[in-house]
Amino acid sequence: MAELLHRLGTFAARRAWTVIIAWLVILGIAGAGFAVGFKGLSSSFDIPGTASGDVIAQLQEDLPDFSGASGQVVFHTTDGSPFTDAQRADITSLAESATDLPDVADVIDPFAAAQQLADQAAQVTDGQAQIDDARAQAQNGQTQLDAGRAQLEAGQAQLDAARAQAEAAGFPTAQIDAQQAQLDAQRAQLDAQQQQLTDGLAAIDANEAELQRGAELLSLADGIGVLSADGATALVNVSFTEPRLELSQESKDAVVDHFASAPVDGVEVAFSTDISQGVPEILGVGEVVGVAIAAIVLVIVLGSLLAAAFPLVTAIVGVGIGAMATLSFSGVVQMASVTPILGVMLGLAVGIDYSLFILYRHRKQLLQGADVRESIGLANGTAGNAVVFAGTTVIVALLALNITGIPFLGLMGTAGAISVAVAVLIAVSLTPALLGLAGTRVLARRARTRAEAAAAASAAGEPEAPRTRVRPMSTLRAVVTSVVAVVVLLVVAIPALSMRLGLPDGGSEAEDSTAYRAYTLTQDAFGEGVNGPLLVVATFPDGLDADQVLDAQLDVARTLADQDAVVAVAPVAVSDDNRIGAFQVVPAEGPNSVSTETLVRDLRQLPPVDGDIALGVAGQAAINIDISEGLADVLPIYLVVVVGLSFLIMIMVFRSILVPLIATAGFVLSLFATYGAVTAVFQWGWFADLLGVHNPGPILSFLPVILVGILFGLAMDYQLFLATGMREAYMHGAPARLAVAQGFRAGRTVVIAAALIMIAVFGGFITSESVIIKSMGLGLSLGVLFDAFIVRMLLMPAVMHLLGRSAWWLPRWLDRITPNVDVEGSALERRHPVHH
């Protein structure tokens, strides 16, 4: 590989314009692919095979109207007074005309819905009054009937006495028989009236039972409102025909444009995240500042504006190609909005670093008096070889995200891997081409004079000026450094023990965003839980009639209402075959709260209601919980795969058992410290104001997995550039502890510069309005800070010093079967000595 890269570097330096034009053509092709293939991004995430996914699939089959996405448009009077008739009419008109928008299934007018609720409550009250009247009338009738029966019994007694007298006296009883017949007829009439009254009372009881069921359902649903108690806030519910993950950005934008383009006087409008959450801005002021800081670091390290410009130019070209190539497939594969962001972050950071590594090596050789083209070839074969190896480890770690079985995460990893691959290819081809064009101008004027003097001295056969003597560190210093570094990382990692995972809701959005405004308006007017309602689906037994379905609905609603943290329950639909019932459940707190998470789990563990009604839970909060749990489950597997791969790769590179062990243990320490720091900021709220985190909550659910992949790759970069120098010094005969100091001295400047550049570039993303990008930026910049400066610059050299020669021990049988990769390119240097 080193020989191949040497040839590539020499060719690129000789035929610079050919290489530059080739890359510009590739950039043009990527741009054309983007223009043709870009079809928008999704702001949703999904994991197949989750419990909520199964519920949505059931709804799509039986109750398709409730399987689509939904969102809310929030109207609020600016002065806090109730809506006027004119404002109500304007909002109603907007709601009614919104049903014609693309993918919109239904739009609920809040005033009509509130009136309907009020009418239902009035009907219950009126119905109860009517039932009370009817019962009173029935009781009056019963009293009259009882009085009539008493008279009849008295008449019967008189008639019986008269009959007895007549029979005793031997008088005829024909007249008495006629009177008996009249009495019997009256009795039959009374019996008929009694039956009528009994039937009437039974009907009243049945009506009252039905009315009470309706009243109970209404009382259970109390808390699911669309018009606030003060009449100043109204929710327009918008239902879509497409599920959340398939809903296009255009359809959401159409809803926003429709309601925002016709403002209502004296009324503000805001949109919930389901409607307003678009694709976050990838590049903003913070990212530009980050690149500017990277440029300053480059100027300081390389001492020349021209040299400092090369890594920036190559990184920007690489990011352009990687991002546009990825996005050009968005019409074929559904992409989450964060997919290109990861590619941009990584492309910028590693693109600058990889180019810097080659440039720094070339500059060092020029200062020793080397010929320009030969130096470019050698720098590409040595530093470029390490770049290819380091880039490969990052690519492997990112592609391994596909083993998680989570589509959007695998796609993010693949997009990131493409960006890193492009960065590597550009570093080993475009960088040598630019260096070839620049010649000795990559050095500042004073450095050029120094290089010419070095070349002249070498040509005259003068010995090289003695280098500053390097001494190994003291054993005491190594012990103290090791202990302090480990303790610091473990202390920083403590908050990770309480880390909760979730996805951002409206409360996590930027304070000036419409989603945050909608979230807070809804919370203030209706309660926190209205921002994250759950959709519970009940499967009823076969063959229920309408009355039995109503009974079943009431049983389910009662069961749901009995749960802790449930504020309101409302049956919202029953399928045509009476098999499936849908219920809206409003929890006490927001979708990201611990109580809502507990509620979802409790509902899923409930035994079937009445022994045969099974329940399933969906809704945004439940979906977020499922995704977070799915990601938490795959994290250990992914960590084992990545760490295992890294261990094998490093055995091959360093031909040692203990060096890979130290490197891997250090990576795990820095990873958990990063988790701890991110948890402290985003979940506990430490330094929240400083970093613009106004509403602490769960950690972004896919952040821990993403951090494993990226930080592992970057950690291996720094490990490679420091430890290969140590190994090289050791193989050239230096004592083990001196070799540690020499290798550290040789690699520290470029590793510090590379780490500072990474931190600056990733840190630029912390200023993003999007909490997703902000947390990724903070996690990556802190991860690089911990790994580069504490693990690689302090812990690793100290432990290597303590291990001494045993650090490079490798069993003979393993040495025989391990291929020799010569990452540092020492064999290449022997084959191509630099001529001065």
Side-chain angles (χ1 to χ4, degrees), residues 518-529:
Y519 188 91
T520 49
L521 283 173
T522 305
Q523 179 176 298
D524 294 344
F526 303 98
E528 267 187 274

Side-chain angles (χ1 to χ4, degrees), residues 209-465:
E210 194 169 337
L211 193 70
Q212 281 172 346
R213 283 187 299 189
E216 189 177 352
L217 285 173
L218 265 179
S219 71
L220 291 173
D222 187 27
I224 301 178
V226 283
L227 184 63
S228 62
D230 61 4
T233 308
L235 304 180
V236 174
N237 285 306
V238 181
S239 304
F240 296 94
T241 52
E242 298 300 311
R244 196 170 60 100
L245 295 159
E246 291 162 32
L247 184 64
S248 70
Q249 191 62 41
E250 289 78 13
S251 298
K252 291 194 277 189
D253 291 343
V255 172
V256 174
D257 292 344
H258 174 80
F259 284 97
S261 61
V264 179
D265 284 340
V267 176
E268 64 170 308
V269 62
F271 303 90
S272 68
T273 39
D274 308 290
I275 297 174
S276 64
Q277 191 182 53
V279 177
E281 189 182 57
I282 295 177
L283 292 173
V285 179
E287 290 76 65
V288 173
V289 171
V291 173
I293 294 169
I296 293 165
V297 173
L298 287 168
V299 171
I300 292 168
V301 172
L302 300 173
S304 152
L305 281 174
L306 182 68
F310 288 167
L312 293 173
V313 169
T314 53
I316 289 164
V317 170
V319 164
I321 293 169
M324 289 193 293
T326 303
L327 291 172
S328 59
F329 289 97
S330 62
V332 183
V333 184
Q334 189 189 33
M335 286 186 188
S337 55
V338 288
T339 305
I341 292 161
L342 186 64
V344 169
M345 278 185 180
L346 277 174
L348 268 177
V350 302
I352 295 172
D353 274 8
Y354 290 167
S355 185
L356 167 66
F357 290 140
I358 294 168
L359 216 160
Y360 185 77
R361 176 76 183 232
H362 169 57
R363 182 179 174 278
K364 206 166 157 189
Q365 288 165 182
L366 286 183
L367 286 172
Q368 291 167 0
D371 172 71
V372 172
R373 280 188 186 165
E374 282 188 9
S375 173
I376 292 169
L378 189 60
N380 214 44
T382 52
N385 196 31
V387 160
V388 169
F389 222 92
T392 305
T393 59
V394 181
I395 290 165
V396 165
L398 288 169
L399 288 177
L401 282 169
N402 286 283
I403 66 162
T404 60
I406 298 168
F408 81 84
L409 208 54
L411 202 56
M412 280 174 78
T414 304
I418 290 168
S419 289
V420 174
V422 171
V424 169
L425 291 171
I426 281 184
V428 297
S429 57
L430 187 56
T431 303
L434 293 172
L435 292 177
L437 279 182
T440 56
R441 282 171 302 170
V442 291
L443 299 175
R445 195 169 294 147
R446 201 179 292 168
R448 276 208 294 273
T449 310
R450 215 162 68 235
E452 284 161 11
S458 180
E462 292 175 21
E464 277 188 54

Side-chain angles (χ1 to χ4, degrees), residues 692-704:
V693 181
H694 61 88
N695 189 8
I699 304 306
L700 182 66
S701 53
F702 53 83
L703 186 64

Side-chain angles (χ1 to χ4, degrees), residues 45-48 50 400-414 626-635 638 701-702 705:
F45 309 97
D46 187 29
I47 296 179
T50 58
L401 282 169
N402 286 283
I403 66 162
T404 60
I406 298 168
F408 81 84
L409 208 54
L411 202 56
M412 280 174 78
T414 304
D626 287 342
I627 291 173
S628 302
E629 283 186 349
L631 287 161
D633 290 345
V634 301
L635 180 59
Y638 180 61
S701 53
F702 53 83
V705 180

